[in-house]
Amino acid sequence: MTRNIAPINNTENHPLSKYYQFQSRIYDMTRWSFLFGRRQLIRTLPIPKKKSISILEIGCGTGKNLIQLAKKYPHAEITGIDLSEEMLQICRKKITPYQGRISTIKGAFGEVTFRENFDLIVFSYCLTMVNPGWDRLIDQAKSTLKTGGVMAVVDFHDTAVSGFEHHMAGHHVRMDGHLLNVLPKKFRQHEQQIAKAYFGAWRWFMFIGYKKP
């Protein structure tokens, strides 16, 4: 697949790239216990399953969502981009059965040039970790989305437990509800949900919207 042009850029010194050098080793063993709503997001996508579409996941990690997207959309061309080479090494092994349909790029979104825009862009537990710069990523994603295309986000929302908020900040995660102050203003809302995790220790959200004409 030749959809993407990735310029050479140095991401090894990026804080998140360094963070995932270790986290990649335990990511799939641990994240299932608190990254809620990922399957629900994909199930809720409003695009018909048989449609031929182009999909971009920003911060694709170890490839869990890429595979689920490939299963739901058998005629889709899917691209995943991530800063972490360690995460992508795991991802590439997983997507071997989908060669020709799923491709990956190592790099920072916004520094990669795409030949064409996408029908669907997915952020899964990515935006809350980009501080500062999350707002620029949303704007960049909007400009990389076709008119009428779908923006799909699942992420942490907020917490009333100050100790947990501090703990998550140590893992680069911002949890003050800031994303849902912006996403409905940028996209025409199709679906929005906020749900409690662990009896309300924190909340996560799902947002799906269309790029306005």
Side-chain angles (χ1 to χ4, degrees):
M1 192 182 302
T2 58
R3 176 183 304 280
N4 309 301
I5 307 170
I8 297 173
N9 54 69
N10 180 14
T11 59
E12 282 75 14
N13 293 324
H14 192 286
L16 290 180
S17 183
K18 291 182 176 180
Y19 175 76
Y20 282 112
Q21 286 176 358
F22 169 73
Q23 292 294 325
S24 62
R25 305 174 193 172
I26 61 171
Y27 192 88
D28 287 337
M29 292 184 290
T30 59
R31 279 357 187 232
W32 63 270
S33 63
F34 58 92
L35 299 188
F36 301 120
R38 293 180 291 176
R39 286 183 178 272
Q40 182 178 343
L41 180 77
I42 294 172
R43 287 198 304 267
T44 309
L45 291 171
I47 303 172
K49 294 181 180 180
K50 294 184 179 180
K51 191 172 182 180
S52 296
I53 58 172
S54 57
I55 302 173
L56 173 65
E57 183 181 11
I58 300 165
C60 64
T62 61
K64 175 182 174 65
N65 295 328
L66 297 178
I67 293 171
Q68 295 303 314
L69 288 164
K71 289 178 178 179
K72 179 169 183 176
Y73 296 109
H75 304 295
E77 292 185 348
I78 305 170
T79 303
I81 182 171
D82 203 283
L83 285 167
S84 170
E85 177 61 27
E86 287 79 9
M87 296 284 272
L88 286 175
Q89 286 176 1
I90 298 170
C91 177
R92 291 180 192 122
K93 293 178 181 178
K94 289 184 182 181
I95 65 174
T96 299
Y98 301 91
Q99 286 181 352
R101 292 188 53 212
I102 304 177
S103 62
T104 60
I105 298 174
K106 178 179 180 292
F109 181 64
E111 297 179 5
V112 174
T113 302
F114 296 96
R115 290 197 181 102
E116 58 185 282
N117 289 0
F118 292 84
D119 298 289
L120 168 64
I121 292 180
V122 176
F123 284 98
S124 174
Y125 288 92
C126 171
L127 284 170
T128 51
M129 299 190 74
V130 182
N131 304 294
W134 59 271
D135 49 348
R136 292 193 299 273
L137 283 192
I138 292 174
D139 287 339
Q140 181 68 31
K142 186 176 181 180
S143 69
T144 311
L145 195 63
K146 294 178 181 178
T147 299
V150 175
M151 174 79 155
V153 182
V154 61
D155 214 322
F156 296 108
H157 184 52
D158 61 11
T159 178
V161 182
S162 59
F164 184 71
E165 183 177 8
H166 179 74
H167 168 76
M168 293 302 287
H171 290 269
H172 303 276
V173 176
R174 178 178 171 183
M175 297 188 67
D176 60 4
H178 60 296
L179 295 177
L180 282 187
N181 290 328
V182 173
L183 288 168
K185 299 175 184 177
K186 299 281 186 179
F187 302 90
R188 178 169 57 86
Q189 181 176 313
H190 169 76
E191 182 85 17
Q192 178 177 304
Q193 296 182 23
I194 300 174
K196 293 180 181 180
Y198 290 105
F199 308 101
W202 76 86
R203 298 192 299 173
W204 58 271
F205 79 91
M206 177 180 72
F207 175 87
I208 299 174
Y210 294 97
K211 180 177 178 177
K212 303 172 185 177

Short mmCIF file of all heavy atoms in Angstrom, two decimals, residues 158-186:
data_model
loop_
_atom_site.label_atom_id
_atom_site.label_comp_id
_atom_site.label_asym_id
_atom_site.label_seq_id
_atom_site.Cartn_x
_atom_site.Cartn_y
_atom_site.Cartn_z
N ASP A 158 -12.59 12.27 33.04
CA ASP A 158 -12.21 13.03 34.23
C ASP A 158 -12.25 12.14 35.46
O ASP A 158 -12.62 10.97 35.39
CB ASP A 158 -13.11 14.26 34.41
CG ASP A 158 -14.59 13.89 34.60
OD1 ASP A 158 -14.91 12.69 34.79
OD2 ASP A 158 -15.44 14.80 34.54
N THR A 159 -11.84 12.69 36.58
CA THR A 159 -11.86 11.99 37.86
C THR A 159 -12.07 12.99 38.98
O THR A 159 -11.58 14.14 38.90
CB THR A 159 -10.57 11.20 38.10
OG1 THR A 159 -10.64 10.57 39.40
CG2 THR A 159 -9.35 12.10 38.06
N ALA A 160 -12.78 12.57 40.01
CA ALA A 160 -12.95 13.40 41.21
C ALA A 160 -11.96 13.02 42.29
O ALA A 160 -11.95 13.61 43.37
CB ALA A 160 -14.39 13.25 41.73
N VAL A 161 -11.11 12.04 42.00
CA VAL A 161 -10.13 11.55 42.97
C VAL A 161 -8.79 12.21 42.66
O VAL A 161 -8.12 11.85 41.69
CB VAL A 161 -10.02 10.02 42.91
CG1 VAL A 161 -9.03 9.52 43.95
CG2 VAL A 161 -11.39 9.37 43.09
N SER A 162 -8.41 13.16 43.48
CA SER A 162 -7.20 13.95 43.18
C SER A 162 -5.95 13.07 43.15
O SER A 162 -5.05 13.30 42.34
CB SER A 162 -7.03 15.07 44.21
OG SER A 162 -6.93 14.54 45.53
N GLY A 163 -5.89 12.06 44.01
CA GLY A 163 -4.73 11.17 44.02
C GLY A 163 -4.61 10.39 42.72
O GLY A 163 -3.50 10.20 42.21
N PHE A 164 -5.75 9.97 42.17
CA PHE A 164 -5.72 9.25 40.90
C PHE A 164 -5.34 10.18 39.76
O PHE A 164 -4.58 9.81 38.85
CB PHE A 164 -7.07 8.60 40.62
CG PHE A 164 -7.09 7.76 39.37
CD1 PHE A 164 -6.43 6.55 39.32
CD2 PHE A 164 -7.78 8.20 38.25
CE1 PHE A 164 -6.44 5.78 38.16
CE2 PHE A 164 -7.79 7.44 37.08
CZ PHE A 164 -7.12 6.23 37.04
N GLU A 165 -5.85 11.41 39.79
CA GLU A 165 -5.49 12.39 38.77
C GLU A 165 -3.99 12.64 38.78
O GLU A 165 -3.36 12.72 37.72
CB GLU A 165 -6.26 13.69 39.01
CG GLU A 165 -6.00 14.74 37.94
CD GLU A 165 -6.82 15.99 38.15
OE1 GLU A 165 -7.49 16.11 39.20
OE2 GLU A 165 -6.80 16.87 37.26
N HIS A 166 -3.41 12.75 39.98
CA HIS A 166 -1.97 12.95 40.09
C HIS A 166 -1.21 11.73 39.57
O HIS A 166 -0.19 11.87 38.87
CB HIS A 166 -1.60 13.24 41.55
CG HIS A 166 -0.14 13.44 41.77
ND1 HIS A 166 0.53 14.58 41.40
CD2 HIS A 166 0.80 12.61 42.33
CE1 HIS A 166 1.81 14.47 41.70
NE2 HIS A 166 1.99 13.30 42.27
N HIS A 167 -1.70 10.56 39.91
CA HIS A 167 -1.06 9.33 39.45
C HIS A 167 -1.05 9.26 37.92
O HIS A 167 -0.03 8.94 37.30
CB HIS A 167 -1.79 8.12 40.03
CG HIS A 167 -1.40 6.81 39.40
ND1 HIS A 167 -0.21 6.17 39.70
CD2 HIS A 167 -2.04 6.03 38.48
CE1 HIS A 167 -0.13 5.06 39.00
NE2 HIS A 167 -1.22 4.94 38.25
N MET A 168 -2.19 9.57 37.31
CA MET A 168 -2.28 9.50 35.86
C MET A 168 -1.44 10.58 35.19
O MET A 168 -0.90 10.35 34.09
CB MET A 168 -3.74 9.60 35.42
CG MET A 168 -4.58 8.41 35.85
SD MET A 168 -3.96 6.82 35.22
CE MET A 168 -4.40 6.95 33.49
N ALA A 169 -1.31 11.71 35.83
CA ALA A 169 -0.44 12.76 35.28
C ALA A 169 1.00 12.25 35.20
O ALA A 169 1.75 12.63 34.28
CB ALA A 169 -0.51 14.01 36.15
N GLY A 170 1.38 11.39 36.14
CA GLY A 170 2.70 10.79 36.08
C GLY A 170 2.87 9.83 34.92
O GLY A 170 4.00 9.47 34.56
N HIS A 171 1.74 9.43 34.31
CA HIS A 171 1.76 8.60 33.11
C HIS A 171 1.36 9.41 31.88
O HIS A 171 0.88 8.85 30.90
CB HIS A 171 0.82 7.41 33.29
CG HIS A 171 1.32 6.40 34.28
ND1 HIS A 171 2.12 5.33 33.93
CD2 HIS A 171 1.15 6.32 35.63
CE1 HIS A 171 2.41 4.62 35.01
NE2 HIS A 171 1.84 5.20 36.05
N HIS A 172 1.54 10.71 31.96
CA HIS A 172 1.32 11.64 30.84
C HIS A 172 -0.15 11.86 30.51
O HIS A 172 -0.47 12.41 29.45
CB HIS A 172 2.06 11.17 29.57
CG HIS A 172 3.53 10.98 29.75
ND1 HIS A 172 4.42 12.02 29.65
CD2 HIS A 172 4.27 9.88 30.04
CE1 HIS A 172 5.65 11.57 29.87
NE2 HIS A 172 5.58 10.28 30.11
N VAL A 173 -1.07 11.45 31.38
CA VAL A 173 -2.49 11.53 31.05
C VAL A 173 -3.14 12.71 31.78
O VAL A 173 -3.02 12.85 33.00
CB VAL A 173 -3.23 10.23 31.45
CG1 VAL A 173 -4.73 10.36 31.18
CG2 VAL A 173 -2.66 9.05 30.66
N ARG A 174 -3.84 13.55 31.01
CA ARG A 174 -4.61 14.66 31.57
C ARG A 174 -6.06 14.24 31.71
O ARG A 174 -6.66 13.73 30.77
CB ARG A 174 -4.50 15.87 30.64
CG ARG A 174 -5.29 17.08 31.08
CD ARG A 174 -5.08 18.25 30.13
NE ARG A 174 -5.98 19.35 30.41
CZ ARG A 174 -6.05 20.47 29.71
NH1 ARG A 174 -5.25 20.63 28.65
NH2 ARG A 174 -6.91 21.42 30.03
N MET A 175 -6.65 14.46 32.89
CA MET A 175 -8.01 13.97 33.17
C MET A 175 -8.87 15.07 33.77
O MET A 175 -9.26 15.00 34.94
CB MET A 175 -7.95 12.76 34.10
CG MET A 175 -7.24 11.56 33.51
SD MET A 175 -7.39 10.07 34.51
CE MET A 175 -9.13 9.71 34.37
N ASP A 176 -9.20 16.07 32.98
CA ASP A 176 -10.04 17.15 33.48
C ASP A 176 -11.21 17.45 32.54
O ASP A 176 -11.79 18.54 32.61
CB ASP A 176 -9.22 18.41 33.73
CG ASP A 176 -8.53 18.95 32.48
OD1 ASP A 176 -8.75 18.39 31.39
OD2 ASP A 176 -7.77 19.92 32.60
N GLY A 177 -11.56 16.51 31.68
CA GLY A 177 -12.73 16.68 30.82
C GLY A 177 -12.54 17.65 29.67
O GLY A 177 -13.53 18.06 29.04
N HIS A 178 -11.30 17.99 29.36
CA HIS A 178 -11.06 19.05 28.39
C HIS A 178 -11.45 18.67 26.96
O HIS A 178 -11.84 19.55 26.17
CB HIS A 178 -9.59 19.46 28.41
CG HIS A 178 -8.61 18.37 28.10
ND1 HIS A 178 -8.46 17.26 28.90
CD2 HIS A 178 -7.75 18.20 27.06
CE1 HIS A 178 -7.54 16.47 28.39
NE2 HIS A 178 -7.10 17.02 27.27
N LEU A 179 -11.41 17.40 26.62
CA LEU A 179 -11.64 17.01 25.22
C LEU A 179 -13.10 17.21 24.80
O LEU A 179 -13.37 17.66 23.68
CB LEU A 179 -11.24 15.56 25.00
CG LEU A 179 -9.74 15.26 25.16
CD1 LEU A 179 -9.47 13.77 24.99
CD2 LEU A 179 -8.92 16.06 24.16
N LEU A 180 -14.03 16.92 25.70
CA LEU A 180 -15.43 17.09 25.34
C LEU A 180 -15.88 18.54 25.38
O LEU A 180 -17.03 18.85 25.05
CB LEU A 180 -16.32 16.23 26.24
CG LEU A 180 -16.37 14.75 25.89
CD1 LEU A 180 -17.41 14.02 26.72
CD2 LEU A 180 -16.64 14.52 24.41
N ASN A 181 -15.00 19.44 25.79
CA ASN A 181 -15.28 20.86 25.64
C ASN A 181 -15.00 21.33 24.22
O ASN A 181 -15.43 22.44 23.83
CB ASN A 181 -14.42 21.68 26.61
CG ASN A 181 -14.83 21.51 28.05
OD1 ASN A 181 -16.01 21.30 28.34
ND2 ASN A 181 -13.88 21.57 28.96
N VAL A 182 -14.28 20.51 23.44
CA VAL A 182 -13.83 20.93 22.12
C VAL A 182 -14.44 20.08 20.99
O VAL A 182 -14.89 20.62 19.98
CB VAL A 182 -12.28 20.87 22.04
CG1 VAL A 182 -11.80 21.13 20.62
CG2 VAL A 182 -11.67 21.88 23.01
N LEU A 183 -14.44 18.77 21.15
CA LEU A 183 -14.84 17.89 20.04
C LEU A 183 -16.24 18.19 19.48
O LEU A 183 -16.40 18.25 18.25
CB LEU A 183 -14.75 16.42 20.48
CG LEU A 183 -13.33 15.87 20.64
CD1 LEU A 183 -13.36 14.52 21.35
CD2 LEU A 183 -12.65 15.74 19.28
N PRO A 184 -17.27 18.41 20.31
CA PRO A 184 -18.59 18.69 19.74
C PRO A 184 -18.65 20.02 18.99
O PRO A 184 -19.58 20.22 18.19
CB PRO A 184 -19.50 18.72 20.98
CG PRO A 184 -18.77 17.93 22.01
CD PRO A 184 -17.33 18.24 21.78
N LYS A 185 -17.71 20.91 19.25
CA LYS A 185 -17.67 22.18 18.53
C LYS A 185 -17.00 22.04 17.17
O LYS A 185 -17.27 22.82 16.26
CB LYS A 185 -16.93 23.23 19.36
CG LYS A 185 -17.58 23.53 20.71
CD LYS A 185 -16.72 24.48 21.52
CE LYS A 185 -17.31 24.72 22.91
NZ LYS A 185 -16.44 25.58 23.74
N LYS A 186 -16.13 21.04 17.06
CA LYS A 186 -15.37 20.85 15.82
C LYS A 186 -16.07 19.92 14.83
O LYS A 186 -15.82 20.01 13.62
CB LYS A 186 -13.99 20.25 16.16
CG LYS A 186 -13.12 21.11 17.06
CD LYS A 186 -12.47 22.23 16.30
CE LYS A 186 -11.49 22.99 17.18
NZ LYS A 186 -10.81 24.08 16.43
#
